[in-house]
Amino acid sequence: MTAMEKTWLDVGALDDIPLRGARLVKCAFGCVAVFRTAANEAFALEDLCPHRGGPLSQGIVHGSSVTCPLHNWVIDLNTGEAQGADKGKVKTIPLRIEAGRLLLDLAALGARNAA
Amino acid sequence: MGEKLVVIGNGMAPGRALDRLFEAAPGAYEVTIFNAEPRVNYDRIMLSPLLSGEKSFEEIIIHGDGWYVKHGVLLYKGHKVVAIDRAAKTVTAASGVTATYDKLIIATGSVPIVLPVPGNTLAGVLTYRDLDDVQAMLLAAKSRGKAVVIGGGLLGLEAAAGLKEQGMEVTVLHLMPTLMERQLDVTAGHLLQRTVEARGIRVITKANTQAILGETKVEAVRLDDGTEIPADLVVMAAGIRPNAGLAKEAGLAVKRGIVVDATMRTSDPDVFAVGECAEAQGECYGLVAPLYEMANVVAAQLAGEAGARFTASATATKLKVTGINLFSAGDFAEGKDREEIVLRDAARGVYRRLVLEDDRVIGAVLYGDTSDSAWFFDLLRRQTDISEIRETLIFGPSYVGGPPLDPTAAVAALPDEAEICGCNGVCKGKIVAAISGHGLKTLDDVRAHTKASASCGSCTGLVEQLMRATLGEAYNPAAVQPMCSCTSLGHDDVRRLIVAKALKSIPDLMQALEWKTSCGCARCRPALNYYLLATWPGEYQDDSQSRFINERVHANIQKDGTYSVVPRMWGGITSAKELRAIADVVEKFKIATVKVTGGQRIDMLGVNKEDLPAVWADLNQAGMVSGHAYAKGLRTVKTCVGTDWCRFGTQDSTGLGIKIEKFMWGSWTPAKVKMAVSGCPRNCAEATCKDVGVICVESGYDIHFAGAAGLDIKGTEVLGHVDSEAEAIEVIAALVQLYREQGRYLERIYKWAKRVGIDTIREQIMQDRERRTGLYGRFVHSQKFAQADPWAERVRGKDAHEFRPLADLNRAEAAE
């Protein structure tokens, strides 16, 4: 096995997520929210708002941002950083799209626990 | 009662005269109005925005039914007067109704000129004069066919723009070489033609219509050079002539119009004429400012001010076509003693021309940038000596005497007599006095108090600058607060444009209204989704990704990411079967908390998202459906036990509450709606702090609304009293529909009511039966598409992706 095969994990198809929506990937370390934007880009972030731990996967996706459903923090999906006056950062997880499949870097997930 | 005053005609001029008369001499006259049109007084200037779809008829009403009631005016709608007997002092309508008068006002207005060409009576040939014409045009426009507008004046161009906006292919025929030649010089006329053509409207000048062709309906228009232009609709907008026939038959002096002296009296001292039918000092008028001036004189004379005299003042013209800025005033013909100053800026499409005589401005034409029109018009009306400022005059007030002024300072520099609102003749001093005197803070307040910017709205910018100049930082232009940072449009503008431009999806809307972001934000998207849903029931496809999570998954998200579930209990009534099912669900899914809510429901808190469909399936099994406890929609109708059990109950409050809830559940509204029905004035259901409340009394039902018991605490207002349950339900549904159509997203009923006015709402629901029936009908229609239990839909598999993770690696690892 190559390192590549070990790290990138197929979690589903891009089309399984609605446009401007998100779905969850459950794993041992918690939940990862996988977002799909109107422009058909995908992003993976920890499903945990830096403010009060709200489930970002339940928010409204607009542009390449998501608004947390609990208190309307806006998180940039590229960087995981809170926008505007709010300060905070969500952990982002490397994600690739290959032939319409979503591949997550599982090692990065594990790193969260190690950190 | 006082003397009998009869008014023939119910247009803007007599409306204004009566307004002034009721102010100056309340109760002095017993007033009867005959209106040939079957409706109340509306703003004819606004027919063009009505045609283009930017306004609705309700928005252009000047005097609603309530006004006539308030002033004790007897209004005969749809009664055309056919005879005046001056000896007997009576008027008689075609219907046979006769009224006697002590004083008579003739305000029969004008009639459109119909060209005397063959085919002018074919079906599909219309004029452009009143609401009926506009409605006929809107109907014709539905075919998306071809329209020919004869006449390239103010009315013709407005009609053409409106028809184009409605999707028709439009050609304008104009007899003269340039458009609007009475108001514009040749250059501005050409610029205007270019702009009109750029909008896709074909313009043919020097076009002499010879015949209208067609078998039974219009098919084409033929010009004298043989050109034939295909047409499904022909609009004659070639001018108007005073409607003076009735006066002539009554033996009054009539030339072009009904001849009046400076007191607005006709040749019979007990008979006045006002408006477009009147001819004063040899002139007939068609623009609103001098007509309102006439109205003021009639009112003053009737109120006993014998000194009031009509003097014609200079008039200004503005074209009410969105996006075309054009202003003209005074006389701009060339002449021996006249000089002109011209400014052209081709790149910006700006043209300005001033005509001077003896160092005074006597004419002004502004095209492309009309922001300084008030200043130039003021110089013209006051005959100001401009020799000192002549060098920079053409650049406007910003350049006079020193460094350029910002727009607010320019308005601040205007004299108190400067006219700000041409439609309603309101000067700067009056607006400033109203702002300071009444402590006005918003544009709507200023409109309500002064009428400035309340008609065509083209002076709105000036009024706002004036407010800024007067109030300084205290002015918060809430009226134009944008929806969010994705747009500069406010909620009301967006709602209006959704209708006007027939926008039926969020991407279409964002494109058409030039949204600044690619797909909006969490503030505008849910609002837009609601507006589209409320505007196009059955047509618009709900966008679940634009809904807040609670409405997307039909449960309430909690702080830990779990959900709460509230089944509907109609009117707060439940049963052993329902309670047993709830108990079973709580145990089966290990639901942490069960709580009774303030709206008489049971709330199950702490349900995992994945379990929701299974929880709903079990509740559905017991006959329970979603309680919409998460919705911007009808939440609960709380009731007391009424005549079923209570010794004080006057009506079946429980039964009525259940009926209301069964009728109205599922409707989406701008914000949540909570209701209650109390069986007697002891009010155990606490109906007087709800969005809508009913208090049963012996004689029927008192309907209340606009209460609040949350962030704000506010007792309800009384909407009115009805005798039957059926009527109570109709009134409540109509009220909610009005709120659905006018409310801004997240604006509760009490805030909406405060914004638009309690009286206005009461008038539309309780007095205007036609309006109420219309609202009720639209509510019933939209309910056809709203009443499906969202829980059952999801139990059957809708939006399954919402309730399942994309992948569960824990399970996958365990499997390995």
Side-chain angles (χ1 to χ4, degrees):
Chain A
M1 272 192 190
T2 66
M4 192 76 155
E5 279 165 325
K6 269 187 181 168
T7 317
W8 294 102
L9 188 80
D10 186 331
V11 294
L14 180 64
D15 285 343
D16 291 340
I17 307 175
L19 281 171
R20 300 172 302 160
R23 291 188 67 186
L24 278 185
V25 173
K26 291 187 164 185
C27 68
F29 315 111
C31 287
V32 175
V34 185
F35 297 89
R36 183 184 182 194
T37 67
N40 239 335
E41 290 178 298
F43 299 93
L45 281 79
E46 247 188 302
D47 194 26
L48 210 61
C49 182
H51 177 219
R52 299 267 181 91
L56 295 173
S57 58
Q58 313 294 294
I60 289 179
V61 179
H62 45 97
S64 56
S65 305
V66 62
T67 295
C68 178
L70 292 196
H71 308 96
N72 294 326
W73 275 39
V74 179
I75 306 296
D76 184 337
L77 297 175
N78 292 290
T79 62
E81 281 183 47
Q83 303 292 289
D86 300 323
K87 294 274 172 273
K89 191 171 187 310
V90 195
K91 186 180 162 60
T92 58
I93 289 114
L95 175 148
R96 292 193 315 158
I97 306 175
E98 239 173 53
R101 302 297 298 180
L102 298 161
L103 307 177
L104 284 191
D105 180 2
L106 212 57
L109 274 181
R112 184 184 76 119
N113 240 18
Chain B
M1 275 313 267
E3 285 191 282
K4 289 186 168 63
L5 173 66
V6 171
V7 185
I8 306 175
N10 194 29
M12 297 172 70
R16 170 57 61 96
L18 290 175
D19 266 337
R20 290 283 181 270
L21 178 60
F22 293 142
E23 275 172 32
Y29 291 90
E30 195 179 321
V31 180
T32 303
I33 303 177
F34 287 88
N35 188 9
E37 283 187 62
R39 50 187 70 93
V40 293
N41 179 19
Y42 60 93
D43 192 341
R44 241 171 255 267
I45 297 175
M46 302 313 281
L47 283 175
S48 294
L50 193 65
L51 177 61
S52 65
E54 291 168 52
K55 295 240 175 194
S56 67
F57 180 64
E58 284 74 23
E59 288 175 276
I60 69 167
I61 288 174
I62 296 177
H63 294 145
D65 283 310
W67 181 87
Y68 298 91
V69 175
K70 183 177 161 200
H71 295 289
V73 173
L74 180 58
L75 170 64
Y76 287 105
K77 292 183 192 176
H79 288 243
K80 186 181 161 116
V81 171
V82 291
I84 301 170
D85 183 339
R86 291 198 289 126
K89 289 198 155 185
T90 61
V91 303
T92 304
S95 56
V97 174
T98 295
T100 32
Y101 65 82
D102 298 307
K103 295 279 187 283
L104 177 67
I105 299 177
I106 303 178
T108 43
S110 61
V111 287
I113 294 173
V114 177
L115 297 182
V117 294
N120 64 8
T121 56
L122 283 171
V125 180
L126 297 174
T127 55
Y128 186 24
R129 192 68 205 134
D130 60 24
L131 183 67
D132 295 323
D133 294 331
V134 170
Q135 281 168 344
M137 277 191 241
L138 287 174
L139 199 64
K142 286 216 168 87
S143 70
R144 298 281 188 272
K146 297 179 170 64
V148 169
V149 177
I150 302 179
L154 201 61
L155 269 185
L157 292 177
E158 290 183 4
L163 291 169
K164 179 76 194 170
E165 196 71 21
Q166 295 295 337
M168 295 194 86
E169 197 178 300
V170 184
T171 306
V172 174
L173 304 180
H174 192 53
L175 187 61
M176 304 305 287
T178 60
L179 297 176
M180 285 181 71
E181 76 288 343
R182 286 177 62 193
Q183 291 89 13
L184 295 183
D185 59 14
V186 173
T187 308
H190 276 299
L191 285 171
L192 176 60
Q193 183 172 342
R194 279 227 316 263
T195 314
V196 171
E197 284 169 345
R199 298 189 157 210
I201 296 170
R202 187 174 168 212
V203 178
I204 306 177
T205 54
K206 294 183 248 177
N208 195 1
T209 305
Q210 191 187 53
I212 297 169
L213 311 175
E215 288 291 324
T216 53
K217 57 181 281 297
V218 56
E219 287 164 22
V221 174
R222 186 166 68 219
L223 305 181
D224 60 357
D225 65 1
T227 313
E228 281 185 17
I229 304 140
D232 306 301
L233 169 70
V234 171
V235 179
M236 298 251 192
I240 53 171
R241 60 182 168 72
N243 185 9
L246 183 66
K248 194 168 187 175
E249 280 164 29
L252 295 169
V254 169
K255 287 181 188 162
R256 214 180 140 233
I258 305 166
V259 178
V260 292
D261 62 15
T263 69
M264 301 311 294
R265 282 183 175 80
T266 63
S267 53
D268 178 335
D270 287 329
V271 181
F272 294 81
V274 66
E276 289 174 330
C277 63
E279 178 179 329
Q281 291 140 24
E283 286 278 344
C284 292
Y285 296 88
L287 294 172
V288 72
L291 301 182
Y292 275 174
E293 196 47 51
M294 289 181 176
N296 293 342
V297 173
V298 171
Q301 288 289 342
L302 284 170
E305 294 169 39
R309 291 286 183 278
F310 172 74
T311 48
S313 51
T315 55
T317 304
K318 275 187 181 175
L319 189 68
K320 283 173 301 304
V321 174
T322 308
I324 300 183
N325 296 314
L326 178 163
F327 169 89
S328 86
D331 182 355
F332 38 83
E334 287 171 30
K336 204 159 64 103
D337 304 321
R338 294 180 176 181
E339 300 166 90
E340 59 175 13
I341 307 177
V342 175
L343 170 76
R344 286 175 202 272
D345 182 344
R348 287 198 303 137
V350 169
Y351 170 77
R352 285 181 174 190
R353 177 161 168 256
L354 300 177
V355 180
L356 310 179
E357 199 173 56
D358 297 334
D359 287 329
R360 277 153 181 85
V361 177
I362 62 162
V365 181
L366 306 181
Y367 191 89
D369 172 10
T370 54
S371 53
D372 294 330
S373 57
W375 187 70
F376 286 118
F377 191 45
D378 192 57
L379 293 178
L380 187 149
R381 294 191 341 150
R382 293 155 65 88
Q383 294 292 292
T384 310
D385 184 335
I386 49 85
S387 51
E388 296 277 302
I389 54 171
R390 191 174 160 149
E391 293 279 291
T392 58
L393 180 66
I394 192 78
F395 300 109
S398 309
Y399 289 88
V400 174
L405 295 170
D406 68 59
T408 307
V411 171
L414 286 176
D416 275 352
E417 304 80 47
E419 185 176 81
I420 302 292
C421 173
C423 292
N424 294 299
V426 188
C427 65
K428 178 186 161 187
K430 183 168 174 191
I431 297 173
V432 172
I435 294 172
S436 322
H438 298 287
L440 306 183
K441 291 275 188 295
T442 69
L443 181 62
D444 285 341
D445 287 345
V446 173
R447 282 177 178 154
H449 278 89
T450 67
K451 295 255 196 276
S453 124
S455 286
C456 85
S458 62
C459 63
T460 302
L462 276 179
V463 174
E464 287 188 311
Q465 279 160 13
L466 199 49
M467 294 182 70
R468 209 164 286 132
T470 312
L471 293 169
E473 292 300 309
Y475 174 57
N476 171 24
V480 290
Q481 200 107 75
M483 276 181 74
C484 62
S485 54
C486 301
T487 178
S488 50
L489 296 168
H491 285 264
D492 301 339
D493 285 323
V494 170
R495 293 207 79 165
R496 178 172 60 74
L497 290 163
I498 285 173
V499 179
K501 294 181 181 282
L503 303 173
K504 298 193 179 176
S505 76
I506 289 179
D508 276 357
L509 181 148
M510 289 183 175
Q511 182 61 33
L513 305 187
E514 299 177 352
W515 235 242
K516 295 177 205 160
T517 50
S518 62
C519 67
C521 70
R523 279 178 74 192
C524 61
R525 281 238 306 278
L528 297 178
N529 190 57
Y530 166 72
Y531 293 152
L532 290 165
L533 199 63
T535 311
W536 314 110
E539 265 187 273
Y540 173 67
Q541 204 63 42
D542 195 355
D543 176 21
S544 62
Q545 296 309 129
S546 293
R547 287 205 181 255
F548 183 64
I549 184 66
N550 289 359
E551 292 188 347
R552 199 188 320 148
V553 300
H554 297 272
N556 297 55
I557 196 166
Q558 302 300 317
K559 59 182 269 190
D560 61 352
T562 64
Y563 289 81
S564 77
V565 168
V566 182
R568 209 166 266 291
M569 286 177 178
W570 309 100
I573 294 291
T574 185
S575 66
K577 184 187 171 199
E578 288 183 353
L579 292 172
R580 198 168 286 125
I582 289 171
D584 288 344
V585 161
V586 169
E587 286 183 350
K588 180 171 168 188
F589 294 94
K590 300 189 173 57
I591 293 172
T593 301
V594 183
K595 169 148 192 346
V596 175
T597 73
Q600 300 180 336
R601 304 299 143 102
I602 290 177
D603 192 359
M604 290 163 262
L605 296 118
V607 183
N608 289 321
K609 196 181 183 194
E610 291 98 289
D611 289 338
L612 285 171
V615 167
W616 296 334
D618 285 3
L619 295 171
N620 276 168
Q621 278 292 319
M624 280 179 278
V625 295
S626 166
H628 289 89
Y630 46 79
K632 314 286 177 232
L634 177 71
R635 293 274 176 98
T636 52
V637 182
K638 189 173 175 179
T639 69
C640 69
V641 291
T643 43
D644 277 352
W645 295 96
C646 180
R647 63 204 164 99
F648 298 118
T650 63
Q651 308 281 355
D652 178 14
S653 52
T654 323
L656 177 57
I658 292 171
K659 279 182 197 150
I660 293 171
E661 194 165 344
K662 293 215 160 172
F663 179 57
M664 301 189 70
W665 73 272
S667 60
W668 300 104
T669 43
K672 62 184 166 189
V673 173
K674 293 180 167 181
M675 303 193 188
V677 183
S678 281
C680 80
R682 287 168 192 78
N683 191 16
C684 294
E686 296 163 341
T688 49
C689 63
K690 294 289 183 277
D691 295 292
V692 181
V694 179
I695 304 282
C696 299
V697 289
E698 286 295 343
S699 61
Y701 308 85
D702 288 337
I703 317 270
H704 290 242
F705 75 119
L711 277 175
D712 294 307
I713 299 185
K714 186 183 165 301
T716 47
E717 306 283 340
V718 177
L719 183 63
H721 178 90
V722 296
D723 299 332
S724 68
E725 280 194 344
E727 204 185 345
I729 290 172
E730 184 186 308
V731 162
I732 292 169
L735 172 73
V736 170
Q737 181 64 20
L738 190 64
Y739 168 57
R740 296 181 76 227
E741 292 175 9
Q742 296 182 343
R744 296 174 186 160
Y745 191 66
L746 301 186
E747 181 179 55
R748 291 288 292 271
I749 286 189
Y750 72 100
K751 290 192 172 164
W752 160 68
K754 184 170 175 235
R755 176 165 63 83
V756 305
I758 304 279
D759 289 338
T760 321
I761 295 170
R762 200 178 284 136
E763 201 173 294
Q764 295 184 69
I765 305 294
M766 300 311 294
Q767 276 149 32
D768 187 344
R769 293 305 295 260
E770 211 175 303
R771 178 109 169 98
R772 184 208 291 182
T773 310
L775 286 164
Y776 177 76
R778 292 200 288 284
F779 183 81
V780 170
H781 176 71
S782 92
Q783 282 298 79
K784 279 195 238 165
F785 311 99
Q787 289 196 324
D789 175 29
W791 288 359
E793 288 175 340
R794 280 151 189 80
V795 169
R796 288 196 296 270
K798 186 177 181 185
D799 291 346
H801 62 83
E802 279 289 353
F803 308 100
R804 279 203 301 267
L806 180 64
D808 189 341
L809 303 183
N810 297 328
R811 230 179 267 170
E813 277 162 24
E816 272 170 32

